Amino acid sequence: MRFVQVAGMLFIGAGVFGAVGVAMAQQKGPTDIIKARQELMKGFGASFKIVNDQLKTEAPDKAAIAEAVKKIADTGKDVGSRFPAGTGAEAGIKTRAKPEIWSQAADFKASADTFVAASAKYLQVVSAGNMDAIKGEAKSLGDACGGCHKKFRVPEEAPK
Ligand code: HEC
C-alpha cells in the first residue's frame, strides 16, 4: 500500500470519528435536558425577582430591570423545545413537568408561545422607559409564567 493511500484512509477515518464525536456531544440525555431546563427556570425566577424587588423601591433602577427582562426574553425564546418526549417522570430524576405537557402538546406550545410574546412585549415596554407602564405591565409577564405553571407544573407540595 502506498503512503498516499494509507494517509488518505487515516484522514477518512479521523473524519468519521470526528463526526461521531460531534453527534454524541449534541445528543444530550434526558437527565441533562431536565437539569438544564430547571436551571433556566431558576434563572427566570432570579431575574423576575430582581424586577419585582426593584418595582417595590421608591426609585426603581431601570437599567437593572432592563437587564433582567432582557435575560428572561433572550434565554426563554426556546422554552417550548426544552421538553422533548422522554423528559417527564419516566426519565427517573425529579421533575415537576406534568404529563399534560405531552398529552396536550398543542396547548403546551400555546403557553410557551404566549410567554415568548409576553417577554418580548415587556422588554419593549421596559426599553421605552415609562415607569408607570413598566409597573403596570410586569403582571402580564408574571401571568405568562403562571399560566404555564398552573397547567403544566406539578405543585411544589404535591400530595403523593
Ligand atoms: C411553557 C411553560 C412554562 C413557562 C412559560 C414558564 N415555566 Fe417555569 N416551569 C415550567 C415547568 C414545566 C417547570 C418544572 C420543570 C421541571 O422540574 O422539569 C417549571 C419550573 C420552574 C421553577 C422551579 C425550578 C426548579 O427546578 O427549582 C421556577 C422557579 C420557575 N419555573 C419560574 C418561572 C418563571 C419566573 C417564569 C416566567 C418568567 C416561568 N417559570 C415560565 C413551565 C414553565
Side-chain angles (χ1 to χ4, degrees):
M1 205 180 274
R2 283 188 302 141
F3 172 74
V4 177
Q5 276 177 322
V6 174
M9 284 165 73
L10 283 176
F11 181 74
I12 291 166
V16 170
F17 188 75
V20 170
V22 169
M24 276 168 63
Q26 280 170 349
Q27 197 167 19
K28 285 194 194 159
T31 302
D32 290 334
I33 294 171
I34 292 170
K35 284 188 179 159
R37 78 175 172 232
Q38 289 171 342
E39 285 309 311
L40 173 76
M41 291 290 166
K42 280 180 192 151
F44 281 173
S47 297
F48 207 45
K49 184 175 184 306
I50 291 172
V51 175
N52 284 324
D53 286 352
Q54 281 302 326
L55 292 180
K56 279 183 219 145
T57 65
E58 294 266 317
D61 179 346
K62 276 186 199 170
I65 294 173
E67 193 189 341
V69 173
K70 186 167 178 351
K71 199 171 166 205
I72 293 174
D74 284 351
T75 58
K77 275 182 192 139
D78 68 343
V79 71
S81 66
R82 296 220 175 218
F83 296 82
T87 63
E90 70 275 26
I93 75 158
K94 192 176 179 298
T95 169
R96 288 166 65 195
K98 276 194 183 172
E100 282 79 356
I101 291 173
W102 300 280
S103 65
Q104 299 172 19
D107 207 5
F108 179 71
K109 189 182 178 299
S111 284
D113 289 348
T114 299
F115 162 78
V116 171
S119 59
K121 186 170 171 243
Y122 190 51
L123 183 57
Q124 278 179 1
V125 169
V126 169
S127 307
N130 179 313
M131 194 42 79
D132 287 338
I134 294 173
K135 281 185 179 163
E137 290 292 319
K139 194 176 170 297
S140 330
L141 179 57
D143 286 349
C145 310
C148 187
H149 290 159
K150 206 169 156 210
K151 285 188 200 161
F152 299 110
R153 184 175 70 167
V154 177
E156 194 119 45
E157 303 293 347
K160 295 262 155 147

